[in-house]
Amino acid sequence: MVGKTEKTSKKNTQGLSVTREEDFSEWFTQLIQKAELIDYSPVSGCYILRPNAYHIWERVQAYFDTLIKKDGVRNVYFPLFIPESLLTKEKNHVEGFAPEVAWVDYGGDTKLGERLAVRPTSETIMYDAYSKWIRSHKDLPLRLNQWCNVVRWEFKHCTPFLRSREFLWQEGHSAFATEQEVINDTQKIIDFYERTFREIYAIPTLQGVKSESEKFAGASYTLSVEAFLPNGKAIQGATSHNLGQNFAKAFDIKFKDGQQQDQFVWQNSWGLSTRSIGIMIMMHSDDKGLVLPPKVALRQVVIVPILFDDSKKEVLAQARVIQEKLEKKGISVELDDREDYSPGWKFNEWEMKGVPVRIELGPKDLEKKQVMVARRDTGEKQALLIAGIDNEVSLLLEQIHDDMYANAKKLLDENIIEVDSLAKAEKVVSGGKLVFAPWCGDGDCEEKFKEKSGAKSLNRPFEQPKLKKDQKCFACGEKAVFWFYFGKSY
Amino acid sequence: MVGKTEKTSKKNTQGLSVTREEDFSEWFTQLIQKAELIDYSPVSGCYILRPNAYHIWERVQAYFDTLIKKDGVRNVYFPLFIPESLLTKEKNHVEGFAPEVAWVDYGGDTKLGERLAVRPTSETIMYDAYSKWIRSHKDLPLRLNQWCNVVRWEFKHCTPFLRSREFLWQEGHSAFATEQEVINDTQKIIDFYERTFREIYAIPTLQGVKSESEKFAGASYTLSVEAFLPNGKAIQGATSHNLGQNFAKAFDIKFKDGQQQDQFVWQNSWGLSTRSIGIMIMMHSDDKGLVLPPKVALRQVVIVPILFDDSKKEVLAQARVIQEKLEKKGISVELDDREDYSPGWKFNEWEMKGVPVRIELGPKDLEKKQVMVARRDTGEKQALLIAGIDNEVSLLLEQIHDDMYANAKKLLDENIIEVDSLAKAEKVVSGGKLVFAPWCGDGDCEEKFKEKSGAKSLNRPFEQPKLKKDQKCFACGEKAVFWFYFGKSY
């Protein structure tokens, strides 16, 4: 068995030394290295996204970028550096971010006149420009997005994907003439995130409103999508913030309305990051390694020919025909024709790397004009005729996506427990499930529950079950105002 | 007329106050702001890429990314920060970059143990990983690329696109088992760059080898593509560096060959940046503003309906039909149906923004079942029947690309002057043309010519005209070794 932090060549990548059940965190750490998703860098808390991981991000980018562009959002690029004086313009915002800003103070040998923040997020530098660009209601709405890196110098324990000092994301920043528009748009973006998690990652999410204490620094309110992982923890997937007029006032972003009156704009900002890749890995993977939803897999199918000296030529020729047929269908295929590895070794390697479908093909299959097809998610194997293999595999990939989603949905649904008292809520949390409870909305109750159980408030679903008449807050016994999700959370 | 550095709303964007001929630099500065490509940021030397500019970069990315992926390169993402100790491992490399590195030394309130460079380029951090990943000849070739931001803290005068303290680029980094492979690949990448400039930017380039003094810090040699601009200056478009085994030795990147012998790998690195957008703007644009090659235009066609009260409805309906027809052909179309701007005002605006084709449509055109179609590059107008407009405009966009390329090629060809003496070379350079001269290759000659004329060596073309017997170096009179391009250069 391979030691746990060993940085290794391909030869040593096989096998995880712990199960997901035994040690979730160690399982994750081994898996992301052995599946060649991540490597460590010389800078603590900064990680290398290897091709297998970066491809996932490219698929997410393609999907989400298309969604927002069709909806009228345009892409831009703003500078990485933000002068300290600009970062500190909105009071709540800077309080939220200043403790974890990386500061540049030298260019070559020259000390800078004012130190520069490496962007932790771009509200301040973007809205400085918005205040120049927006003059009239005709300039609205202004809806811009950028795909970029951001830096937050975490002092907590870093974990690849989930908490890293540098990460990749998109940040959208829109300005509108009316409050209703920003309310609608902030919600629409959450719907886009829900679709992205569902359609690309095969992950169901809980959509709702964050509590006051968990909202974005500088926002009126924050909407989120939250996922529930097999280890009993919840995790925030993406957020959309209604900023109200807070930044408009701090940055003096005004427009003349139809009556030539000056008005402050209404703004939102919204982000989805490479953290989502970590969520996906944790959600679907198993003790054999990574399990990838087909839509993000760099290789959707791997063909492993079973090679004997007397039939090698025919088997490889047939394997190439199958590869071509599948590629014509838009399926990405790796033909693993390496001769110095055994089929069994290859099976393990591609299972570790999460390839959704494996096709095995030997001389006996050839005789029967069929191949063996194995699913990575379930391990099921079936014989399929080579004629029509392209259609069959296309359908199978769709089926795999749907089944992975359904499994994750089942996990989520089975782990939401309605409770009406603090004692029950604590029990639910200690059992690794999610609490759904009537809450008065008071921060003290949230805090008290957190101290007792370690659970954080997640969000308040948009669609609320009706509260009973005189329904009481699960924590303080005062009148409940809404239902809310709570759970242990990353 | 509008003041030259005014940051303005749409109302004030019309008109450049200088011609390209009068003041190229001022013309460029006004144009990039009024065409809404660029805005200034609060950090000197760092610029905002607005949607019109960022879209160009996305088109370049899509084209070049497809080229390299089809060729087997894979995308990755490495950290932004490089520890000082790592950056300084290859001696020539650090000497080239250290003077312009931006340094991070604080995370929040905590001083870092070792200061971190904001990547000026990623050889050092990537090759540190390569030394771990590469063990066997089976791990080769390793061909990785990343699209990212880099920072070089310039102390010279910054110019948007051409010289900025932060810019966007792709950097490719490959490692091979043999010298021949790296030689071939370094050349292949230059061919890819040539194609990108030709096919996307409609720009011809000179491809060749940089001189010793102009090569990349740490390279064995550097290949480049160079463009020639209408103001008489050359500009480097992209570079591909054969690194030999220099970094392999500094970073100990070794592999076991087929005979189990340790060998150092052979490497190259190669980059194309947002500087190329500036080259394109300078190459094609005119006194009315930006001229965009169709393949990078955010809007390829703008439809300007001529609206009168009694025919507005019919004209707009027909305009929408045309828009739909063109969009079905994959052409991006903006229908400018704003009623509070005159057609003339709109013509000026879309000319400033470089939209390749304008379609005008009024009630009289409707009667004749035709529209007026104007080309941005030549200003030519022609009437086209609405039936078949989609095919006609498709062909026209292709024609525009080809004509723009042909014009730039003519400019280049007419401005290359063969010379055989220093005196003639100086005259050619002061006349704003390019020198093509037999050179001995000695750095002293290059330096002497630069001091006298301000011209730098550009590159040595791969296809060399035959040197005459006893052909002398244009600068020193010793034996010439090859033909070389020289010129004033950005």
Side-chain angles (χ1 to χ4, degrees):
Chain A
M1 282 294 102
V2 175
K4 61 181 173 176
T5 55
E6 206 176 333
K7 314 282 168 56
T8 56
S9 72
K10 278 183 188 159
K11 286 283 166 40
N12 296 325
T13 55
Q14 297 217 323
L16 301 168
S17 71
V18 294
T19 66
R20 191 172 79 173
E21 199 65 23
E22 281 166 10
D23 186 342
F24 193 87
S25 157
E26 174 61 23
W27 164 82
F28 180 71
T29 303
Q30 288 191 19
L31 187 153
I32 57 176
Q33 290 174 81
K34 294 189 177 181
E36 294 182 359
L37 295 161
I38 282 284
D39 206 347
Y40 290 85
S41 87
V43 180
S44 167
C46 294
Y47 307 100
I48 299 163
L49 297 182
R50 302 184 69 174
N52 293 338
Y54 196 78
H55 178 82
I56 298 169
W57 188 235
E58 288 183 316
R59 300 322 305 151
V60 172
Q61 287 187 305
Y63 183 82
F64 188 75
D65 203 62
T66 302
L67 276 186
I68 60 174
K69 276 189 182 147
K70 274 194 187 154
D71 200 56
V73 175
R74 295 227 151 116
N75 282 343
V76 291
Y77 187 75
F78 276 72
L80 174 68
F81 296 135
I82 305 174
E84 185 166 16
S85 56
L86 199 61
L87 189 72
T88 55
K89 262 196 162 179
E90 211 283 345
K91 196 175 147 287
N92 291 318
H93 186 68
V94 67
E95 279 175 12
F97 285 102
E100 51 185 40
V101 165
W103 294 103
V104 170
D105 68 346
Y106 271 86
D109 291 332
T110 307
K111 195 168 167 68
L112 304 182
E114 179 181 13
R115 65 180 185 161
L116 301 172
V118 182
R119 66 176 159 231
T121 179
S122 299
E123 276 76 5
T124 56
I125 193 154
M126 290 179 79
Y127 303 165
D128 179 59
Y130 283 24
S131 74
K132 293 185 292 177
W133 293 342
I134 296 170
R135 288 280 175 268
S136 150
H137 62 97
K138 293 177 202 164
D139 300 326
L140 297 174
L142 179 63
R143 303 171 68 204
L144 302 179
N145 175 69
Q146 66 182 9
W147 295 95
C148 64
N149 55 343
V150 286
V151 171
R152 298 178 186 176
W153 206 259
E154 297 278 356
F155 289 94
K156 285 184 240 174
H157 182 65
C158 285
T159 306
F161 296 118
L162 298 198
R163 181 182 286 124
S164 54
R165 285 173 166 173
E166 181 189 8
F167 57 88
L168 304 181
W169 78 349
Q170 60 67 222
E171 49 177 323
H173 296 266
S174 298
F176 301 90
T178 63
E179 184 174 17
Q180 192 57 51
E181 280 173 281
V182 78
I183 289 171
N184 295 348
D185 192 75
T186 308
Q187 172 73 51
K188 185 201 277 172
I189 295 295
I190 277 295
D191 294 343
F192 287 170
Y193 288 142
E194 186 278 329
R195 277 169 69 176
T196 305
F197 273 88
R198 173 164 43 90
E199 291 293 327
I200 300 300
Y201 285 139
I203 292 178
T205 54
L206 302 170
Q207 305 104 49
V209 189
K210 300 295 281 187
S211 72
E212 276 298 300
S213 70
E214 296 287 339
K215 75 180 184 186
F216 179 72
S220 292
Y221 61 77
T222 289
L223 308 182
S224 72
V225 294
E226 312 268 341
F228 180 74
L229 298 169
N231 66 343
K233 280 194 181 182
I235 185 160
Q236 183 174 291
T239 46
S240 177
H241 314 296
N242 182 337
L243 306 175
Q245 295 182 314
N246 302 336
F247 284 86
K249 286 172 183 169
F251 286 85
D252 198 33
I253 314 177
K254 277 188 285 204
F255 66 99
K256 293 232 184 279
D257 65 16
Q259 287 73 49
Q260 294 297 307
Q261 298 296 307
D262 279 333
Q263 304 283 355
F264 285 110
V265 298
W266 298 86
Q267 292 177 273
N268 64 17
S269 68
W270 28 281
L272 168 71
S273 78
T274 42
R275 159 181 261 220
S276 60
I277 300 173
I279 299 175
M280 182 209 69
I281 298 165
M282 289 183 163
M283 180 66 77
H284 297 302
S285 301
D286 63 22
D287 295 337
K288 290 181 172 177
L290 185 63
V291 180
L292 284 174
K295 287 179 191 162
V296 297
L298 178 58
R299 308 164 184 89
Q300 296 176 306
V301 172
V302 61
I303 303 176
V304 180
I306 315 298
L307 301 177
F308 299 97
D309 284 341
D310 58 353
S311 56
K312 192 195 303 182
K313 214 177 135 187
E314 293 75 14
V315 167
L316 277 176
Q318 185 60 64
R320 283 194 196 101
V321 169
I322 293 170
Q323 177 177 25
E324 251 180 55
K325 272 178 104 166
L326 295 178
E327 284 176 346
K328 268 195 192 145
K329 274 272 179 187
I331 298 167
S332 66
V333 183
E334 173 110 3
L335 170 58
D336 187 352
D337 56 3
R338 293 175 294 176
E339 300 199 17
D340 38 3
Y341 296 92
S342 71
W345 194 95
K346 291 177 183 178
F347 292 179
N348 289 340
E349 179 177 20
W350 298 118
E351 281 173 355
M352 177 63 76
K353 290 186 177 166
V355 179
V357 169
R358 179 180 76 231
I359 295 179
E360 306 163 21
L361 169 65
K364 284 184 188 158
D365 300 304
L366 220 77
E367 278 171 27
K368 297 185 211 159
K369 300 186 177 177
Q370 67 175 35
V371 291
M372 289 308 293
V373 176
R375 285 174 66 152
R376 174 64 184 91
D377 61 328
T378 60
E380 283 167 13
K381 284 176 78 161
Q382 56 178 324
L384 286 178
L385 288 176
I386 292 171
I389 187 77
D390 45 353
N391 287 327
E392 292 286 348
V393 170
S394 270
L395 290 172
L396 183 60
L397 291 169
E398 281 174 37
Q399 189 64 50
I400 290 172
H401 177 92
D402 292 346
D403 291 350
M404 289 175 74
Y405 181 83
N407 278 337
K409 183 77 169 68
K410 188 158 171 276
L411 178 82
L412 175 64
D413 290 344
E414 289 175 354
N415 281 278
I416 296 173
I417 310 293
E418 271 187 39
V419 299
D420 57 8
S421 74
L422 202 53
K424 285 182 198 156
E426 283 180 49
K427 213 169 153 188
V428 166
V429 169
S430 69
K433 293 171 185 275
L434 294 181
V435 163
F436 192 45
W439 179 26
C440 65
D442 194 290
D444 289 345
C445 292
E446 189 181 9
E447 194 51 38
K448 183 166 72 183
F449 183 42
K450 191 174 173 183
E451 275 169 27
K452 290 198 175 230
S453 68
K456 286 199 284 192
S457 71
L458 304 175
N459 65 23
R460 163 166 63 86
F462 301 129
E463 286 178 33
Q464 285 275 320
K466 223 176 157 173
L467 285 165
K468 273 186 294 185
K469 204 171 170 245
D470 302 320
Q471 176 86 54
K472 291 189 172 55
C473 169
F474 80 110
C476 70
E478 296 294 312
K479 192 170 163 45
V481 179
F482 37 57
W483 288 86
F484 219 97
Y485 292 112
F486 297 84
K488 283 202 178 159
S489 175
Y490 277 94
Chain B
M1 281 294 102
V2 175
K4 63 181 175 178
T5 56
E6 205 175 335
K7 314 283 171 50
T8 57
S9 72
K10 277 182 187 160
K11 286 283 165 41
N12 296 327
T13 54
Q14 297 216 321
L16 302 167
S17 72
V18 295
T19 66
R20 192 172 77 174
E21 199 66 24
E22 281 165 8
D23 186 342
F24 193 88
S25 157
E26 174 61 22
W27 164 82
F28 180 71
T29 303
Q30 287 191 18
L31 187 154
I32 56 176
Q33 289 174 81
K34 294 188 176 181
E36 296 182 356
L37 294 162
I38 280 283
D39 206 347
Y40 291 85
S41 87
V43 180
S44 169
C46 294
Y47 307 100
I48 299 161
L49 297 182
R50 302 184 68 174
N52 294 336
Y54 196 78
H55 178 82
I56 298 169
W57 187 236
E58 288 182 317
R59 299 323 304 151
V60 172
Q61 287 187 304
Y63 183 82
F64 187 76
D65 202 63
T66 303
L67 277 185
I68 59 174
K69 275 188 181 148
K70 273 192 187 155
D71 200 56
V73 176
R74 295 229 150 116
N75 284 342
V76 290
Y77 186 76
F78 276 72
L80 172 69
F81 297 133
I82 305 174
E84 185 166 16
S85 56
L86 198 61
L87 189 72
T88 55
K89 262 194 161 179
E90 210 284 343
K91 197 176 145 286
N92 291 319
H93 185 69
V94 67
E95 278 174 13
F97 285 103
E100 51 186 39
V101 165
W103 294 104
V104 170
D105 67 348
Y106 272 86
D109 290 332
T110 307
K111 195 165 166 71
L112 304 181
E114 179 181 14
R115 63 182 185 160
L116 302 172
V118 182
R119 66 177 159 230
T121 179
S122 301
E123 276 76 5
T124 54
I125 192 154
M126 289 178 79
Y127 302 165
D128 178 61
Y130 284 25
S131 74
K132 293 185 292 178
W133 295 340
I134 296 169
R135 289 278 175 269
S136 150
H137 62 97
K138 294 178 202 163
D139 301 325
L140 297 174
L142 179 64
R143 303 171 69 205
L144 301 179
N145 175 68
Q146 66 182 10
W147 296 94
C148 64
N149 55 342
V150 284
V151 170
R152 298 177 186 177
W153 207 258
E154 298 277 355
F155 291 95
K156 288 185 237 173
H157 182 67
C158 286
T159 306
F161 295 118
L162 298 198
R163 182 182 287 123
S164 54
R165 286 175 166 172
E166 181 190 8
F167 57 87
L168 304 181
W169 77 350
Q170 62 65 221
E171 49 178 322
H173 297 267
S174 298
F176 301 91
T178 64
E179 184 173 20
Q180 193 55 52
E181 281 173 282
V182 77
I183 289 171
N184 294 347
D185 191 75
T186 309
Q187 174 71 53
K188 183 200 279 174
I189 295 294
I190 276 295
D191 295 342
F192 286 170
Y193 288 142
E194 186 277 329
R195 279 169 69 176
T196 305
F197 272 89
R198 173 162 45 88
E199 291 293 329
I200 300 299
Y201 285 138
I203 293 177
T205 53
L206 303 170
Q207 304 102 50
V209 188
K210 300 295 283 185
S211 72
E212 276 297 302
S213 70
E214 298 286 339
K215 76 179 183 186
F216 178 73
S220 292
Y221 61 78
T222 290
L223 309 182
S224 71
V225 295
E226 311 267 343
F228 180 73
L229 298 170
N231 66 344
K233 280 195 180 178
I235 184 160
Q236 183 174 290
T239 47
S240 177
H241 315 295
N242 183 337
L243 305 175
Q245 296 180 315
N246 302 338
F247 285 88
K249 286 172 183 167
F251 286 85
D252 197 33
I253 314 177
K254 278 187 284 204
F255 66 98
K256 293 231 183 280
D257 66 15
Q259 286 72 50
Q260 294 296 307
Q261 297 298 307
D262 279 331
Q263 304 284 355
F264 286 111
V265 298
W266 298 85
Q267 292 177 273
N268 65 15
S269 67
W270 29 281
L272 167 70
S273 78
T274 42
R275 158 179 260 222
S276 59
I277 300 174
I279 299 175
M280 181 208 70
I281 298 166
M282 289 182 161
M283 180 65 78
H284 297 302
S285 302
D286 63 21
D287 296 337
K288 289 182 174 177
L290 185 64
V291 180
L292 284 174
K295 286 179 193 164
V296 296
L298 177 59
R299 306 162 186 92
Q300 296 175 306
V301 172
V302 61
I303 303 176
V304 179
I306 316 297
L307 301 176
F308 298 98
D309 283 343
D310 58 352
S311 56
K312 192 197 301 181
K313 213 176 136 187
E314 292 76 14
V315 167
L316 277 176
Q318 185 59 63
R320 283 193 196 102
V321 169
I322 293 171
Q323 177 178 23
E324 252 180 54
K325 272 178 101 165
L326 296 178
E327 285 176 346
K328 268 192 193 146
K329 273 271 178 185
I331 299 166
S332 65
V333 183
E334 172 111 2
L335 170 57
D336 186 353
D337 56 3
R338 291 175 295 175
E339 299 200 18
D340 39 2
Y341 296 93
S342 71
W345 193 95
K346 292 177 182 177
F347 292 179
N348 289 339
E349 178 176 20
W350 297 118
E351 280 173 357
M352 175 63 76
K353 290 187 177 165
V355 179
V357 168
R358 181 181 73 233
I359 295 179
E360 306 163 22
L361 169 64
K364 284 181 190 162
D365 300 305
L366 221 79
E367 278 170 28
K368 296 186 213 159
K369 300 187 176 173
Q370 67 173 38
V371 291
M372 291 305 296
V373 175
R375 283 174 67 152
R376 174 65 185 88
D377 62 329
T378 60
E380 284 167 11
K381 283 174 79 162
Q382 57 177 323
L384 286 178
L385 288 177
I386 293 171
I389 188 75
D390 46 351
N391 287 326
E392 292 287 347
V393 170
S394 271
L395 291 170
L396 183 60
L397 289 169
E398 282 175 35
Q399 190 63 51
I400 289 171
H401 178 92
D402 292 346
D403 291 351
M404 289 175 73
Y405 181 82
N407 278 337
K409 184 77 170 66
K410 189 159 170 276
L411 177 83
L412 175 66
D413 290 345
E414 288 176 356
N415 280 279
I416 295 172
I417 311 293
E418 271 187 41
V419 299
D420 57 8
S421 75
L422 202 52
K424 284 184 199 158
E426 283 180 47
K427 215 170 148 186
V428 165
V429 169
S430 69
K433 291 172 185 274
L434 294 180
V435 163
F436 192 45
W439 180 26
C440 65
D442 193 290
D444 289 344
C445 293
E446 187 182 12
E447 192 54 34
K448 183 166 70 180
F449 183 42
K450 190 174 173 184
E451 274 169 25
K452 291 202 177 229
S453 69
K456 287 199 284 192
S457 71
L458 304 175
N459 65 25
R460 163 165 64 86
F462 302 128
E463 287 177 32
Q464 285 276 319
K466 222 176 160 175
L467 286 165
K468 274 188 293 188
K469 207 177 169 235
D470 302 321
Q471 176 84 55
K472 292 190 171 57
C473 171
F474 80 111
C476 69
E478 296 295 312
K479 192 169 161 47
V481 180
F482 37 58
W483 289 86
F484 220 97
Y485 292 112
F486 297 83
K488 284 202 176 158
S489 174
Y490 278 95

